[in-house]
Amino acid sequence: MKKLLVLASFVAFVAGCNKHEAELVGVGGREKWFQPDPFGTLFIPMGSYHMGPDDEETPMAHTTKSKMVSVQAFYIDDSEISNNEYRQFVYWVRDSIARKLLAFGSNGNAEDFQITQDDFLAMWPIYKGDNNLQDPYINWDQKINWNSDDDDYRADLQPMYLPEGERFYNRKEIDARKLNYEYYRIDIRLAASKTNRFLPNKSPDIQDAAHDYKKADYMNGVTLNDGQNGAPGSPSSLVGDPSKDSKVLGTYNVKDQVSVGQGNYVPRERKGVDRSVFILKDIINVYPDTLAWVHDYTYSFNEPLTNMYFWHPAYDDYPVVGVTWKQVRAFSVWRSLLLNNFLIGTGQTIVNDFRLPTESEWEYAARGGLDKSPYPWGGPYIRNSRGCFLGNFKPMRGSYIDDGGFHSVYIYSYNPNDYGLYCMAGNVSEWTSNAFDESAYDFQHDLNPDYVYEAQEKDANVLKRKVIRGGSWKDVGYYLQTSARTYEYQDTAKCYLGFRNVMTYLGRSKFDDI
């Protein structure tokens, strides 16, 4: 009797363990997700607000109308990106080029800068069987000895430096013209167009005249059913060349337009292509335009800033300037890869990419939760109760120093807004992701408003305008208002224009409390 009771208990236990096998319970073993705040950023909760001016502005009524919009939760840098933070990007590009030269050079340490394909696959076995693997890979753990006394070592690094005939007082300096960053991005909007969607070769419901499925050679996954559509007795066969999977499945016919200049476009259709047509490659020089300090102002002595502002330690915590819109986008891609590759390497789940803020996100963050405030600090005035200016701009009749600044200042200067964000008004203006159009408020959606246009090289200049926000050290007080918007051209770099990044929060809200 005791044995029967034990057996019955065991059967009940097994039945209890398997009671969910026939129920819809989701996939088990999923990690509990918690997103830590990315370093240097602050969380901005979702919300709705009146985007645009709260007071009627007759001259600007056509470009900054008031409109109720809603913005999802996101992270944003608590300050503008500094010279030293951007320098990390520049040094990464410099070191990647140097390591490649050393890995394939004639120096005796070349193998130290290499990771063989076998070693790479030992670390990343998921890539076994791929046909496009590099050999060798670059070893980022090996340090570069820039002061090596080895002749071959120095000879391998020689292409990194300015040619002897271009040196000033024979100073051996890195040739900034060679610091080019190669990156890729996906044109999701092009892929989302209904005319550009995937076209399967055949589907399982195709029948011949006799209502027979035998001619439906649709491939499901990586197996091909030999035209039998999985009929009994016809085993599935593996596809011979995995690289041709997409062509077996189907293709894309992609329609878009190409600019030929003077505001003219010609239609383009690429038929029978695979999804790589939506993956775009770009190569951008990452070094800031330090000459912006000179060319932005006529008859003004700014040569010391041109010579020192970006690289000297005295300016490490000043906002980086002289960066174009495309350079800023490249930085955002690099920063995203830097974080997500670390997460992958440590067995963690990746997060959303860093990017430029939309102008609706930027204005929402600048307001600091104060819907009707014209300035980030909350009040309608540009001074505090003691008469001190609250931002770095061009006050009075042009007395640059009355606000405590002169040109740009330390990125944590002045008091933050109620979200804890510094210099959302003044110091340097900031790039956003949006294209500038005077009537954008009229046609863009009220849910995460976002008007973008990817200007081509031959496009008219008017199509290369990108929205900038916040005002700068050289601007009058009007541009410090949270609702003020203006533009710069995406291929220009200015000594008063910087940026900060945002990242969309994963989920509805922190703790997801409704």
Side-chain angles (χ1 to χ4, degrees):
M1 184 66 182
K2 186 175 181 181
K3 290 183 178 179
L4 289 176
L5 288 174
V6 172
L7 180 60
S9 300
F10 176 77
V11 171
F13 173 76
V14 172
C17 291
N18 298 329
K19 65 180 180 180
H20 293 308
E21 285 188 355
E23 304 292 342
L24 184 64
V25 296
V27 177
R30 302 277 290 171
E31 63 178 300
K32 285 188 176 295
W33 175 250
F34 170 77
Q35 182 173 1
D37 297 351
F39 181 77
T41 68
L42 294 175
F43 176 76
I44 308 298
M46 62 179 180
S48 299
Y49 74 104
H50 283 93
M51 184 179 178
D54 299 306
D55 297 326
E56 184 177 356
E57 297 182 33
T58 303
M60 305 298 289
H62 296 292
T63 60
T64 52
K65 297 180 179 179
S66 183
K67 179 178 181 179
M68 173 66 80
V69 300
S70 299
V71 178
Q72 68 188 113
F74 60 96
Y75 292 105
I76 186 170
D77 285 321
D78 61 359
S79 68
E80 297 135 341
I81 297 297
S82 69
N83 280 321
N84 205 29
E85 289 170 331
Y86 190 85
R87 191 180 298 111
Q88 183 181 351
F89 175 40
V90 174
Y91 278 16
W92 187 95
V93 173
R94 179 201 66 181
D95 292 352
S96 66
I97 297 172
R99 282 189 169 88
K100 189 171 183 179
L101 290 173
L102 292 168
F104 296 96
S106 57
N107 68 92
N109 301 97
E111 292 186 358
D112 295 336
F113 289 92
Q114 301 176 7
I115 297 177
T116 65
Q117 191 175 114
D118 290 340
D119 291 338
F120 174 80
L121 291 176
M123 294 185 292
W124 302 95
I126 191 174
Y127 290 103
K128 287 184 178 180
D130 283 8
N131 297 322
N132 61 343
L133 294 175
Q134 301 175 33
D135 192 12
Y137 281 81
I138 304 301
N139 181 12
W140 276 85
D141 293 330
Q142 182 66 25
K143 291 184 177 181
I144 301 171
N145 183 8
W146 295 98
N147 297 316
S148 174
D149 57 1
D150 181 84
D151 291 340
D152 292 333
Y153 199 102
R154 292 201 311 272
D156 289 339
L157 289 177
Q158 190 65 25
M160 295 288 298
Y161 296 97
L162 285 168
E164 293 179 4
E166 297 185 40
R167 296 177 186 174
F168 186 64
Y169 283 111
N170 203 32
R171 294 173 186 163
K172 194 172 184 180
E173 299 173 339
I174 297 293
D175 191 345
R177 299 168 298 185
K178 297 180 180 179
L179 301 181
N180 297 322
Y181 179 59
E182 178 182 307
Y183 69 97
Y184 298 84
R185 56 189 177 84
I186 299 176
D187 193 337
I188 294 179
R189 293 180 185 268
L190 183 65
S193 174
K194 293 294 181 68
T195 60
N196 299 336
R197 296 299 180 87
F198 178 66
L199 301 172
N201 283 332
K202 290 186 179 181
S203 63
D205 59 353
I206 293 179
Q207 305 177 32
D208 58 18
H211 300 286
D212 194 345
Y213 287 95
K214 289 184 178 181
K215 293 185 178 181
D217 57 353
Y218 177 84
M219 188 190 79
N220 184 15
V222 293
T223 60
L224 196 62
N225 285 323
D226 299 327
Q228 300 299 317
N229 199 42
S234 57
S236 299
S237 60
L238 291 175
V239 174
D241 186 357
S243 66
K244 296 180 179 180
D245 283 353
S246 59
K247 291 294 179 70
V248 176
L249 281 168
T251 55
Y252 300 83
N253 293 338
V254 179
K255 298 179 181 179
D256 59 0
Q257 292 182 326
V258 179
S259 172
V260 292
Q262 304 299 319
N264 298 315
Y265 298 84
V266 294
R268 175 176 63 171
E269 183 174 3
R270 289 164 283 180
K271 293 186 176 181
V273 295
D274 59 33
R275 72 187 296 269
S276 64
V277 73
F278 304 114
I279 302 175
L280 306 178
K281 176 183 176 180
D282 203 356
I283 300 176
I284 191 78
N285 186 274
V286 302
Y287 203 80
D289 183 5
T290 55
L291 291 170
W293 287 102
V294 174
H295 70 58
D296 283 350
Y297 299 98
T298 305
Y299 306 118
S300 176
F301 181 66
N302 292 315
E303 279 79 354
L305 292 168
T306 282
N307 293 331
M308 298 290 185
Y309 184 81
F310 178 65
W311 73 268
H312 199 281
Y315 297 103
D316 273 359
D317 294 321
Y318 284 61
V320 65
V321 296
V323 285
T324 67
W325 186 84
K326 284 194 172 184
Q327 285 178 316
V328 168
R329 180 170 65 181
F331 173 91
S332 304
V333 172
W334 166 82
R335 185 180 180 185
S336 302
L337 292 173
L338 187 70
L339 176 58
N340 281 327
N341 286 343
F342 169 78
L343 294 176
I344 293 172
T346 53
Q348 302 179 66
T349 304
I350 63 173
V351 295
N352 278 318
D353 289 343
F354 288 103
R355 54 181 174 80
L356 283 174
T358 64
E359 62 171 320
S360 58
E361 288 174 330
W362 191 97
E363 182 174 332
Y364 179 62
R367 289 180 177 273
L370 305 173
D371 194 18
K372 296 294 184 180
S373 174
Y375 296 103
W377 42 81
Y381 305 109
I382 213 160
R383 298 173 185 255
N384 63 15
S385 59
R386 296 194 295 177
C388 300
F389 287 105
L390 296 170
N392 181 22
F393 68 114
K394 185 179 180 180
M396 308 298 288
R397 294 188 177 183
S399 180
Y400 290 92
I401 63 172
D402 275 3
D403 54 22
F406 183 81
H407 45 66
S408 56
V409 295
Y410 175 59
I411 56 176
Y412 291 108
S413 299
Y414 306 96
N415 291 325
N417 70 0
D418 283 1
Y419 281 148
L421 305 176
Y422 289 83
C423 293
M424 293 300 283
N427 208 19
V428 294
S429 298
E430 299 177 17
W431 287 112
T432 71
S433 62
N434 290 145
F436 181 86
D437 189 287
E438 290 82 357
S439 58
Y441 283 26
D442 292 326
F443 60 76
Q444 65 187 5
H445 209 284
D446 60 351
L447 177 66
N448 288 331
D450 186 31
Y451 169 59
V452 295
Y453 178 78
E454 184 66 30
Q456 301 175 36
E457 185 176 350
K458 293 184 178 181
D459 269 330
N461 285 335
V462 69
L463 298 174
K464 297 180 180 179
R465 298 181 299 176
K466 294 294 187 285
V467 176
I468 63 173
R469 290 295 198 117
S472 73
W473 57 268
K474 62 90 183 173
D475 289 320
V476 296
Y478 168 80
Y479 291 101
L480 271 63
Q481 296 183 61
T482 55
S483 60
R485 64 195 297 256
T486 184
Y487 64 87
E488 282 292 350
Y489 298 99
Q490 66 180 39
D491 52 1
T492 61
K494 301 295 184 181
C495 67
Y496 48 82
L497 183 53
F499 72 103
R500 68 181 80 207
N501 280 144
V502 301
M503 174 195 289
T504 302
Y505 180 73
L506 284 161
R508 188 189 70 92
S509 179
K510 272 195 174 182
F511 315 115
D512 209 22
D513 293 329
I514 298 179

